[in-house]
Every structure is written in C-alpha cells, then in structure tokens.
Amino acid sequence: MKGLIKKDLLVIKSNIKHLLLLVLIFCFLSIDGNNMFYYIPTFISTMLFITTFSYDEINKWDSYAITLPKGRKNVVKAKYITSILIICWAILLTYIGGIIFGELSNSLNISLLNNNIYSCLFGALLIISLSFPLIFKYGVERGRIFLIVIIFGFIFLISLISKYITIPEYLKNIDNQYGMYIISIIILLILFISYLISKKIYQKKEF
Amino acid sequence: MNNAIEIKDLIKKYDDKFTLKVPKLTITKGTIVGLIGENGAGKTTLIKCLLGIINKYEGQIKIFSKEEKEEYLAKEDIGVVLDNMFFPDILKPKDISIIMHDIYKTWDKNLFYNYLQKFNISPQTQIKKLSTGTKKKLEIATALSHKPKLLILDEPTSGLDPVVRREILDLFLEYMQNPENTILLSTHITTDLEHIADYIIFINKGNIILNATRDEILDNYGILKCGEQEFNTIAKEDIISYQKNRYDYQILVKDKKNMQKKYKNFIIDNITLEDLMVLKIKGANNERIN
C-alpha cells in the first residue's frame, strides 16, 4: 500500500508547478485580508488530488494496479489515506501561513484562525467523502458532474430548510467546544461510511 | 505441483453476444504458451480472469495451486504486461522503481536499472515522452524486475517494428533459461509464436478450438492446393475447412503425411499459424459443403 500512496504523491509532485502557481494567484487575489486565503490551499490540493483519478483513468492504471499483490484491496485505502495526508499538509501550511500573516499585519486572531481552519478541514473531508464513491462508481468525468449536482442540491435543500425552519439557539452556538466534538464525530463517521461504500464498489468493479 | 495455471469450468458471460468458455485448461511450468485468435475472440477476457481484473465468473482458476482467495500470494510471482494499461504516463521510470520497491518484496532495483540501460531508457524521461516500442520495453522491464515465476502478457509485440519485436522475443527466451519459469502470451502476430512458443492455444468466439504443441500443429496440419475440378474429387471428411481463391482452392487438412499418400498428385504445403488461423476462422467448413 505504501507503494500506491507514493504513486499518487509522485503524480501530484509531477503536477506541483501548477499547484504553486494557482496558490500564488489566489493568495494574491485575497491579499486584502478576507477569509478566502484560508480556504485556497486546501481546496486546490483536494481538487489536485482528484486529478490523480483522471491520470489513472487515462492510462487505465486500475486494471494494472489490480494485478499487483493486494491490488484490489489497497487501491481504495491508499486513495483515502493519501488524500487525507494531502489535506493535512495543506491545512498545516495554511495554519503556519495564517499565523505568520497575522503576526506581520498585527491582526492575529487565533480563535478566528482556528474556526477557519476547522471549517476548511471539514469541508475538504466532506468533499472527498462525497466524491470518492461517485468517482469509483462512475469514473472521474461523470463522478464530478454527480458531485456538483449533489452539492448544489444540498445547498438548495439547506436554504429551503432554513427558510421555513428557525434554527434552534443551541445549533447556532455550535462553534463552542462541545459542538465541535459532535461535528468532528459526524464528519469522521461520514468519511468512514464513504470509505466502506467505495471499498464495496471497487471490490465488485470490473475493468 | 507442476502446473502454473489450472482452469476448470470457467464461464464468463458478458451479454447474449459473448461468452468465454474454458472447460479445462492447464499450463505446465517451464513452457511458453501462445494464445491466438482474432480480435474479440476472448484472449484478453481470459487473461483478465486469470489476473482478477475480472472477478465475476463461474468456475475455478488456480495459479501456482493457489485459489482466488489467497490470490495475492500468487501475484507476488506474476509479472504482467497488459495492452495499454500501465502507470500514469506523467511519471518517470525512476518513479516506477520507487513505487514497485514498496509493492513487491522481491523488487530488484539494480535489475530494473540494468534493463533501462540495456533498452536505452533514461530514468528521468516521462513515460508519455517514450515511443510505443520503448514504452513496451519499459513495461516488460517492469514486469521482469521482481523476478516473477510466471509472465502473463497481453499483446506484448503488437504495434512494434520487427527489430524491437525480435529484441523482446530474445528477452523472453533469456527469461526461459530458468526451467521453473512460465510464459503465457496472447498475440495476433502469429509468426512470433512460431519462433518461441511450446504450446498454442487457439481461441475463437470464446471457445478454445485448438490446444496443442506448436510442433504437433505445424507437423500435422497442411494446406492442399488444387483447382475447382480437382476439389470435387477430394473426400469431404478430409476437408477441415477450405477457402476459394481466384485461381485455386486452399484446403486445410490434418495428418499431412497420410494425406500426401492418399492424394499423391496434389501438393500439400506446410502450414503457418497464420494460415491455420485464417482458414479456421474465415474458411468455409465441411458442413457447408454438405
């Protein structure tokens, strides 16, 4: 499995120039101090990771990977682990960047930074949880379209609900310690279920 | 056990149109087995079943006496070259070595780099920048570098020029120096097999219609050539299949020596695998004469 993880990291490394360029452009765009800055590295890294699926698909890597020892078992596991590694790396980078940026501009607000980092992490984990099973099932191109449909459907649903239902007070204060634990557990649960579904899809898949 | 591969009652249905059926097939260790047949005959399907790329089928497949459930134990010993299925082409040969080192316990980095040197492949070039032939050589080098006991190759020589093809065939013969090693390769370039194969398996429309040693086939079968009038004098049971050309008939016959005695006035030529394939698939057969 270590080999499969290294494979995705090496694919990303071959693409790293594009990533750095994109990050630079976005950092420049958000230099006036809005929160955008915190989200860019993580989401670009997540999207970049999803491109590894495209490379796999173009070169029919999956068929080849299955012929390797423990191939079918490990492909899915390696994708989840690598993507989480990438997300953690991007978050760490953002955190350090946020602190340095805050210190330099004398506007460091740790709790605001923490909040941004958390929502960043949760958002990225949700994206992979939703997209991976779809990609494993339908391939990158169709999977992406389904993902967009699901995300917009989700936003539409939320906005519909929030129109007709008043959010209870305790949910509004969710960013207190207690609420954070609940959200973390829910996100991890979603991630785990997503992994199980992907694994099942992949076990049955024929190429 | 002396068998590298054992297949029993294998049935893989795709839809109503295509079914692969292999009632029984064993491949002995130490042999080169060639899989021939036209495009879509089922060669790749059979190989995909063997490798677990296809895993919904009826029947039983054993590789080195190991069944599907412990397949990864056998996979350590299998080297694979597939048609257009390989590492993401953005990677470089040196990346392959880094990755494979963690995948195969027996990965030999020095051996891999020796092959690269032999084939004149730079470890730093992206795979997508390599020519078709060089890429194929890289795939074969990758398959050989964990010292597998069984090589399974799907169309390893298609699209390559004769020089590169010969180079690759020599590599296979070198690999077979070890009497424990086995090769199963599919191809539609049948001349390659005339050079190296011990056994020939002929698949047509999902069925194995011939499984014999190369020498048996080449010694036994022959092509009888004659004109239209003479054609009618030949006993129907002697005709396996025939093809009508512009000036003559080409008849596929078995048991060449006896046929030559029986039909002294006719010329019976030696057969090539290509003739055999064309006549078996495209030729009209006995039933149609009746």
Side-chain angles (χ1 to χ4, degrees):
Chain A
M1 185 167 64
K2 235 165 82 191
L4 294 174
I5 293 173
K6 278 187 185 168
K7 178 226 129 217
D8 279 334
L9 292 179
L10 285 166
V11 168
I12 290 172
K13 195 183 133 208
S14 313
N15 241 346
I16 200 91
K17 279 180 214 151
H18 301 115
L19 171 72
L20 290 177
L21 190 72
L22 273 173
V23 170
L24 273 178
I25 292 171
F26 277 93
C27 286
F28 187 71
L29 287 176
S30 56
I31 204 105
D32 60 338
N34 67 38
N35 287 341
M36 265 265 279
F37 168 78
Y38 300 107
Y39 297 89
I40 291 149
T42 312
F43 285 98
I44 291 182
S45 309
T46 312
M47 289 305 149
L48 197 76
F49 184 78
I50 289 177
T51 61
T52 64
F53 284 99
S54 308
Y55 284 109
D56 292 349
E57 218 167 88
I58 295 165
N59 298 287
K60 297 191 186 164
W61 158 258
D62 287 279
S63 306
Y64 190 76
I66 283 171
T67 70
L68 304 173
K70 299 186 201 173
R72 205 183 267 274
K73 253 185 189 167
N74 281 344
V75 166
V76 174
K77 214 190 276 177
K79 281 284 182 202
Y80 276 85
I81 292 176
T82 320
S83 62
I84 292 169
L85 281 178
I86 297 275
I87 289 169
C88 290
W89 174 81
I91 295 253
L92 190 73
L93 220 67
T94 317
Y95 201 72
I96 294 168
I99 289 175
I100 293 172
F101 192 73
E103 284 289 350
L104 286 179
S105 60
N106 255 335
S107 60
L108 183 62
N109 180 342
I110 283 286
S111 80
L112 185 68
L113 179 64
N114 280 345
N115 273 352
N116 278 322
I117 290 291
Y118 277 127
S119 41
C120 208
L121 177 67
F122 293 157
L125 290 180
L126 264 184
I127 288 181
I128 62 166
S129 303
L130 285 176
S131 57
F132 283 13
L134 291 169
I135 292 173
F136 281 123
K137 177 87 187 170
Y138 299 106
V140 178
E141 289 315 316
R142 283 202 293 160
R144 248 185 224 163
I145 293 167
F146 280 122
L147 180 68
I148 291 168
V149 170
I150 286 179
I151 287 177
F152 276 100
F154 199 63
I155 292 170
F156 179 71
L157 207 72
I158 295 272
S159 61
L160 208 69
I161 288 171
S162 60
K163 232 179 195 177
Y164 294 104
I165 300 167
T166 42
I167 299 166
E169 216 39 48
Y170 63 90
L171 268 181
K172 277 187 178 169
N173 297 324
I174 203 94
D175 58 340
N176 64 31
Q177 277 285 305
Y178 187 59
M180 205 53 110
Y181 283 126
I182 295 177
I183 295 179
S184 308
I185 288 168
I186 291 173
I187 297 279
L188 286 178
L189 207 67
I190 290 174
L191 186 66
F192 185 64
I193 291 169
S194 156
Y195 167 68
L196 291 181
I197 294 171
S198 296
K199 215 171 93 178
K200 191 138 203 186
I201 290 169
Y202 208 75
Q203 284 304 324
K204 284 185 181 169
K205 201 169 177 182
E206 296 192 331
F207 296 90
Chain B
M1 286 298 279
N2 262 331
N3 292 331
I5 298 173
E6 290 163 74
I7 298 177
K8 246 166 96 182
D9 305 322
L10 174 70
I11 297 175
K12 170 68 192 173
K13 265 189 197 147
Y14 266 110
D15 41 44
D16 294 337
K17 282 176 201 153
F18 182 78
T19 311
L20 175 72
K21 272 188 209 157
V22 184
K24 192 174 186 297
L25 179 68
T26 44
I27 290 174
T28 335
K29 276 184 196 170
T31 56
I32 300 185
V33 179
L35 210 53
I36 61 172
E38 58 183 338
N39 292 333
K43 301 185 301 266
T44 302
T45 305
L46 178 58
I47 284 178
K48 282 183 168 178
C49 287
L50 283 173
L51 293 170
I53 299 171
I54 289 172
N55 59 2
K56 278 177 276 179
Y57 53 75
E58 288 171 45
Q60 190 187 42
I61 295 176
K62 279 185 181 177
I63 296 184
F64 295 125
S65 311
K66 282 164 189 141
E67 263 192 82
E68 204 191 355
K69 276 176 191 164
E70 357 165 24
E71 59 171 354
Y72 58 89
L73 290 171
K75 278 180 177 173
E76 284 278 346
D77 294 327
I78 307 176
V80 177
V81 175
L82 297 166
D83 202 15
N84 285 323
M85 299 166 193
F86 198 50
F87 281 82
D89 59 9
I90 195 172
L91 296 177
K92 299 163 182 169
K94 76 174 169 70
D95 298 333
I96 292 179
S97 186
I98 294 170
I99 294 163
M100 287 306 209
H101 184 78
D102 284 328
I103 288 178
Y104 289 105
K105 290 184 196 116
T106 47
W107 181 259
D108 187 337
K109 189 183 163 189
N110 292 332
L111 184 63
F112 181 68
Y113 274 85
N114 281 345
Y115 280 126
L116 292 187
Q117 208 169 22
K118 189 174 172 185
F119 295 143
N120 225 342
I121 305 171
S122 153
Q124 303 287 350
T125 317
Q126 284 187 332
I127 299 170
K128 64 177 168 192
K129 288 178 183 149
L130 302 174
S131 69
T132 319
T134 316
K135 193 182 163 210
K136 205 39 113 184
K137 285 190 220 166
L138 175 65
E139 291 175 22
I140 293 166
T142 309
L144 288 172
S145 294
H146 67 277
K147 299 173 198 153
K149 293 189 187 117
L150 169 66
L151 268 186
I152 296 181
L153 314 122
D154 193 14
E155 305 282 357
T157 52
S158 72
L160 305 182
D161 66 64
V163 180
V164 176
R165 258 167 50 210
R166 189 49 77 88
E167 253 181 289
I168 287 174
L169 295 182
D170 287 343
L171 202 66
F172 292 161
L173 290 175
E174 192 188 305
Y175 168 78
M176 291 305 287
Q177 297 288 313
N178 183 341
E180 282 287 298
N181 288 349
T182 312
I183 295 182
L184 171 68
L185 81 160
S186 83
T187 183
H188 50 248
I189 305 172
T190 48
T191 44
D192 287 349
L193 296 180
E194 278 158 28
H195 286 122
I196 62 166
D198 301 309
Y199 287 87
I200 306 287
I201 296 170
F202 187 174
I203 297 189
N204 191 27
K205 290 176 186 150
N207 293 300
I208 293 181
I209 56 172
L210 187 68
N211 179 5
T213 67
R214 176 194 57 182
D215 296 340
E216 258 172 350
I217 292 172
L218 297 181
D219 291 348
N220 207 355
Y221 285 90
I223 293 183
L224 190 150
K225 288 177 181 165
C226 63
E228 188 159 7
Q229 286 178 339
E230 297 153 313
F231 177 71
N232 294 324
T233 67
I234 291 169
K236 279 167 192 164
E237 64 266 22
D238 290 338
I239 301 173
I240 297 172
S241 70
Y242 71 94
Q243 197 171 26
K244 192 186 171 202
N245 296 330
R246 206 159 171 188
Y247 301 110
D248 65 351
Y249 276 82
Q250 291 199 337
I251 302 165
L252 180 67
V253 292
K254 221 173 164 179
D255 202 359
K256 196 161 56 184
K257 276 176 198 156
N258 279 330
M259 284 297 145
Q260 189 67 75
K261 279 179 202 158
K262 192 169 172 186
Y263 302 104
K264 276 180 188 141
N265 299 329
F266 296 102
I267 301 163
I268 298 181
D269 282 342
N270 286 335
I271 199 167
T272 63
L273 287 174
E274 190 171 316
D275 295 332
L276 181 75
M277 212 167 117
V278 172
L279 277 166
K280 277 246 184 190
I281 295 170
K282 286 276 168 275
N285 56 24
N286 240 335
E287 287 130 43
R288 255 184 252 171
I289 311 171
N290 302 328

